[in-house]
Amino acid sequence: MSFIDSHAHLVLEPFQNDRDKVINEAFSSEITHIIQSCDNLDEIKQNLVLTEKYNNLYSSVGIHPHEASLWDDVSKITILEHSKKEKVIAIGETGLDFFYNYSPKEIQLKVFREQIKISKECSLPLIIHCRDAFNEALQILKEEKTEIPGVFHCFTGSLDNAKEALKLGFYISWSGILTFKNAKDLKEVAQEIPLEKTLIETDSPFLTPIPFRGKRNEPKFVKYVAEELAKIKNLNVEEVGQITSENTKKVFNIN
Ligand code: NI
């Protein structure tokens, strides 16, 4: 069996004492690739250190909607510069989060549009974070005529939202939330989404799947998301691992 963790944050503080152990454990178990997500332009430097150290570890570059207020005159240039690097495979994570609103809405909207434009300019897919803002995010993607789609990571929207995203060419990524007992609606959405348009992720250190909910998440736990998805879709877990891995490689153009 093999899996790809399509979204992790391994430079964050919860990994400061055993980061390499966690990554090595993942790669020596069933994890073939890890995609590191980037939340801000300080983090990209740390992400790149990891991508240099591990063959099958890649990174995105961008600014998270929580941190959209950090956007300044040089952000675009900095993102474009990093986008040319070999192990940088996506723009993000970007998007809208109207649940927390850690950055003002207007700024989130502007910074999301900017990063969509960058993705078109450098021909890299988008990693989208979206919470309580699906109508707005989908509308903006339509307006900006996104040519190279990407993935809605840690999907929490409705079936209608998911169908709209698929229409725009996007993939849907499931996190540990899918395993939660109270995620009935999400499980129903997952049932309807073709496996060919599906990715799986951990979002480590967050959103730890059952049976480890409450503990720190790690890339190797992505298999519990795969097991849940297999159960929901009545498939075997090997197939879920194989197809979601192929999808991830296709979206991010990696081998
Ligand atoms: Ni993330």
Side-chain angles (χ1 to χ4, degrees):
M1 273 197 287
S2 64
F3 307 98
I4 295 182
D5 182 1
S6 72
H7 195 110
H9 296 270
L10 302 175
V11 297
L12 296 184
E13 187 267 330
F15 295 108
Q16 66 176 342
N17 295 322
D18 63 349
R19 183 168 297 116
D20 289 302
K21 183 172 165 273
V22 166
I23 297 172
N24 283 317
E25 262 177 29
F27 284 142
S28 61
S29 64
E30 292 155 322
I31 308 303
T32 61
H33 300 70
I34 299 171
I35 312 293
Q36 259 294 105
S37 187
C38 174
D39 286 348
N40 62 61
L41 300 180
D42 285 328
E43 222 177 73
I44 186 61
K45 296 174 198 121
Q46 298 163 267
N47 278 1
L48 289 175
V49 171
L50 288 185
T51 64
E52 274 163 33
K53 213 163 162 182
Y54 298 97
N55 260 341
N56 287 351
L57 194 149
Y58 296 81
S59 178
S60 65
V61 60
I63 297 183
H64 194 288
H66 287 340
E67 308 197 37
S69 301
L70 292 173
W71 187 269
D72 64 21
D73 294 343
V74 295
S75 296
K76 181 177 178 179
I77 298 167
T78 310
I79 294 174
L80 278 172
E81 270 172 15
H82 285 295
S83 75
K84 294 183 192 115
K85 297 193 171 138
E86 200 195 332
K87 299 292 283 291
V88 174
I89 45 79
I91 300 301
E93 55 186 284
T94 180
L96 302 171
D97 193 316
F98 294 168
F99 180 78
Y100 285 111
N101 280 314
Y102 286 152
S103 287
K105 272 188 186 181
E106 298 66 38
I107 294 177
Q108 288 190 48
L109 291 163
K110 172 185 180 275
V111 172
F112 183 34
R113 275 190 202 272
E114 290 285 347
Q115 292 183 89
I116 295 170
K117 290 190 177 105
I118 292 173
S119 126
K120 285 159 70 174
E121 213 171 313
C122 64
S123 299
L124 286 180
L126 289 160
I127 295 177
I128 295 183
H129 168 111
C130 188
R131 187 145 182 214
D132 284 6
F134 279 94
N135 291 337
E136 293 87 345
L138 290 161
Q139 180 60 32
I140 289 173
L141 289 167
K142 274 181 224 162
E143 285 170 16
E144 297 293 337
K145 299 189 170 51
T146 318
E147 288 139 8
I148 301 156
V151 56
F152 274 84
H153 108 85
C154 184
F155 190 79
T156 54
S158 67
L159 181 57
D160 281 348
N161 297 150
K163 283 181 175 166
E164 281 291 302
L166 294 184
K167 249 190 244 167
L168 292 171
F170 278 81
Y171 288 74
I172 303 292
S173 179
W174 301 110
S175 68
I177 295 178
L178 200 64
T179 68
F180 297 174
K181 298 256 184 309
N182 59 2
K184 193 173 154 280
D185 294 352
L186 221 50
K187 291 178 210 261
E188 283 171 16
V189 179
Q191 200 170 21
E192 299 290 324
I193 304 302
L195 191 60
E196 285 64 33
K197 296 301 288 184
T198 302
L199 268 53
I200 51 174
E201 65 173 278
T202 59
D203 205 16
S204 295
F206 312 110
L207 304 175
T208 313
I210 288 175
F212 295 106
R213 193 174 181 185
K215 295 195 180 136
R216 179 187 70 174
N217 206 357
E218 297 182 18
K220 68 180 177 191
F221 294 159
V222 78
K223 81 165 181 195
Y224 296 103
V225 181
E227 279 173 4
E228 182 68 32
L229 190 60
K231 207 165 81 188
I232 291 168
K233 294 186 79 66
N234 203 15
L235 298 166
N236 64 56
V237 67
E238 287 86 355
E239 192 180 356
V240 169
Q242 189 203 325
I243 305 289
T244 55
S245 293
E246 282 168 15
N247 299 340
T248 308
K249 290 178 185 173
K250 203 163 145 193
V251 192
F252 297 123
N253 201 18
I254 57 175
N255 293 311

